[in-house]
Amino acid sequence: MSVVTLAECREQIRRELDSVVDFWLKYSHDTLHGGFFTCIGRDGKIYDELKYVWLQGRQVWMYCRLYRTMDRFQKPEILDAAKAGGAFLRKFARLSSSSDPWKCAFCLTRDGKPVKIQRTIFSECFYVMAMDELSRVTGDVDMQAEAVQMMERLIYWVQVNSSGLGRPQLPGETPTNSMAVPMMLLCLVQQLTEDRDQDVVQRYKELSTWCVQQILQHVQRDGTAVLENVSVEGGELPGCQGRLQNPGHALEAGWFLLQYSARHNHQELQRTAINTFMELPYQRGWDQEHGGFFYFLDVDGHCPTQLEWSMKLWWPHCEALIAFLMAYSHTKMPALLQRFFQVYEYTFSHFLDPINGEWFGYLTQEGKVALDFKGGPFKGFFHLPRCLYMCERILDDLLENDHEAKKPDM
């Protein structure tokens, strides 16, 4: 595979985004009960009718974002599907039987009965994203108010009292700062404040600063490692949990921080985002023998206890594409463009399914397809289309400003 110019790269990304959207429009919509099927086989067949709230919210958000910001996706079937997905979420996602009426299920039956709950904040986070973005395309002020109310509950759970999550504090448990939590809250602040009045921005200013500080606590060992879990005081934890590295999460945090640094003209944070949250995961996480990013690593070189640690998953590669292209767009550093093209060549030569469309999500370390479904309990219409969407827009901006580039020597 040979990528010569950014223009050719943009055209392939554009075609792939169109193909991925078509796949989900064709196979995922439940026209009987609303919402979306996400357990979809390689050829589009539904193999399980369970509906995962994370993925319902993500698909509503993605449809609305495409509809709102890209002319070619302003199609009635996309808006209608987003509305149906939003109605399904509002009717069924929140658990009426919970001690906290804002708690959402993790998994629902096809017709909306709760099956499983997780003692985390992520179903609720994607509920916020879905409601806020859907309110932007429908003008529904009640829906936007609901997103704000859910956000306030999330802040309360994270910063004040987590009892509403149903998670007891066990005597042997060490309180932990997981990077996923401040990352997700920072993402929600960006969502809720985008193109809104200054008073809305000010409302979340303190929270966004807190999120950045919490993420930066994960830079450990004198700046040589980004660890997935640290203590609530910002120190390194003992054992496997403390040594865990997740290159995909670090890269995603990197572009979140890069966006924040651009909005606030924070040059030092920009350097940290690129040199620490992007370069370190690349140096540690890229498989020099087979290519691609490992899923998990142990900072001391032990074998991680996660059985899938050596697999190559679609979403870290999606985050890497966004991160390195965004970083290049901000700095014009050739090394960052080289990183982007290296990830691009691996990703587009291993994950795509040229026969049925969409991408495989789970490869062996050697790059062979390990699981051939296109959607499952954690893979839906989100990481891949968000990546393609963001990369297309960044490339549009680069090419419009005549920053054409040839593929660097590898």
Side-chain angles (χ1 to χ4, degrees):
M1 178 178 177
S2 178
V3 176
V4 178
T5 66
L6 285 177
E8 291 171 330
C9 178
R10 177 182 63 179
E11 288 311 304
Q12 183 168 19
I13 285 174
R14 182 186 177 95
R15 289 193 303 271
E16 201 58 37
L17 179 56
D18 290 346
S19 174
V20 169
V21 171
D22 287 345
F23 183 94
W24 288 85
L25 285 173
K26 183 176 181 180
Y27 296 118
S28 72
H29 297 179
D30 184 352
T31 56
L32 179 61
H33 293 286
F36 312 106
F37 299 116
T38 60
C39 294
I40 304 176
R42 69 180 300 163
D43 56 358
K45 290 186 174 65
I46 307 302
Y47 64 86
D48 196 319
E49 293 182 347
L50 291 176
K51 293 175 179 174
Y52 296 86
V53 172
W54 284 26
L55 303 185
Q56 303 295 308
R58 286 171 164 181
Q59 190 157 346
V60 170
W61 179 86
M62 194 73 247
Y63 274 156
C64 291
R65 181 55 62 112
L66 291 170
Y67 182 87
R68 185 168 68 88
T69 62
M70 282 189 158
D71 290 345
R72 72 182 190 273
F73 294 117
Q74 290 180 359
K75 302 176 181 179
E77 60 266 34
I78 290 179
L79 181 58
D80 290 345
K83 289 179 178 178
F88 184 85
L89 278 171
R90 296 182 86 182
K91 187 174 183 179
F92 298 116
R94 288 169 56 185
L95 293 164
S96 58
S97 60
S98 172
S99 59
D100 192 316
W102 291 97
K103 188 75 188 95
C104 291
F106 171 71
C107 181
L108 304 169
T109 62
R110 180 181 178 182
D111 58 357
K113 298 181 181 67
V115 173
K116 183 178 179 181
I117 186 173
Q118 285 190 327
R119 295 167 178 176
T120 65
I121 64 169
F122 302 113
S123 290
E124 294 78 13
C125 286
F126 292 109
Y127 190 98
V128 171
M129 285 182 67
M131 292 301 109
D132 184 77
E133 191 67 21
L134 185 55
S135 75
R136 291 172 184 265
V137 297
T138 63
D140 189 325
V141 294
D142 290 337
M143 195 179 295
Q144 206 278 322
E146 190 175 342
V148 171
Q149 287 177 288
M150 179 69 86
M151 182 65 173
E152 293 305 310
R153 203 60 185 163
L154 285 169
I155 297 169
Y156 177 78
W157 287 337
V158 171
Q159 294 189 335
V160 181
N161 186 346
S162 64
S163 63
L165 299 174
R167 187 173 61 229
Q169 180 68 46
L170 301 174
E173 181 185 6
T174 302
T176 301
N177 171 5
S178 170
M179 190 160 64
V181 171
M183 278 177 59
M184 196 63 238
L185 290 182
L186 186 61
C187 178
L188 294 182
V189 170
Q190 164 65 12
Q191 174 67 40
L192 292 168
T193 60
E194 182 182 12
D195 299 325
R196 289 226 161 90
D197 294 339
Q198 192 59 33
D199 61 332
V200 178
V201 176
Q202 284 298 120
R203 181 190 306 169
Y204 295 109
K205 182 178 180 180
E206 184 177 338
L207 175 63
S208 63
T209 301
W210 179 85
C211 290
V212 171
Q213 292 170 344
Q214 291 289 303
I215 293 169
L216 292 177
Q217 286 187 350
H218 292 263
V219 181
Q220 296 287 322
R221 304 200 175 189
D222 298 321
T224 64
V226 179
L227 302 181
E228 185 72 2
N229 306 296
V230 295
S231 73
V232 293
E233 295 82 19
E236 188 171 333
L237 293 167
C240 297
Q241 183 187 33
R243 297 195 303 268
L244 185 66
Q245 294 179 295
N246 183 331
H249 255 168
L251 287 159
E252 188 176 13
W255 70 260
F256 285 5
L257 293 174
L258 194 57
Q259 284 185 321
Y260 180 92
S261 69
R263 290 195 301 273
H264 296 275
N265 194 27
H266 198 317
Q267 294 300 312
E268 183 180 351
L269 185 61
Q270 180 190 83
R271 288 190 290 272
T272 299
I274 295 171
N275 297 334
T276 303
F277 284 86
M278 296 181 194
E279 187 61 20
L280 286 181
Y282 173 81
Q283 294 293 344
R284 296 285 186 91
W286 187 262
D287 184 345
Q288 296 297 328
E289 181 179 1
H290 300 288
F293 284 99
F294 291 111
Y295 193 26
F296 293 111
L297 294 168
D298 184 295
V299 70
D300 287 336
H302 299 289
C303 180
T305 56
Q306 290 80 6
L307 302 183
E308 72 276 27
W309 74 269
S310 64
M311 292 178 69
K312 311 296 169 58
L313 271 65
W314 87 106
W315 73 262
H317 296 79
C318 289
E319 302 310 318
L321 289 170
I322 298 170
F324 288 122
L325 188 61
M326 185 184 292
Y328 173 72
S329 75
H330 282 283
T331 67
K332 307 306 180 294
M333 292 173 57
L336 294 168
L337 185 60
Q338 180 176 329
R339 297 278 189 264
F340 168 77
F341 274 121
Q342 186 176 5
V343 179
Y344 181 91
E345 289 201 355
Y346 179 87
T347 302
F348 276 74
S349 61
H350 286 79
F351 288 100
L352 276 68
D353 180 354
I355 299 173
N356 298 295
E358 240 280 348
W359 289 16
F360 300 112
Y362 304 85
L363 311 180
T364 66
Q365 181 177 351
E366 295 76 21
K368 305 296 183 183
V369 175
L371 307 174
D372 72 354
F373 55 72
K374 300 299 174 52
F378 298 99
K379 184 180 186 294
F381 186 69
F382 182 66
H383 283 288
L384 173 55
R386 181 178 70 168
C387 167
L388 298 170
Y389 161 79
M390 292 188 67
C391 287
E392 181 181 332
R393 288 171 65 91
I394 294 169
L395 287 165
D396 283 345
D397 184 64
L398 285 169
L399 294 168
E400 183 179 333
N401 290 286
D402 295 323
H403 294 299
E404 182 59 283
K406 289 194 176 295
K407 177 184 174 185
D409 295 333
M410 301 303 284

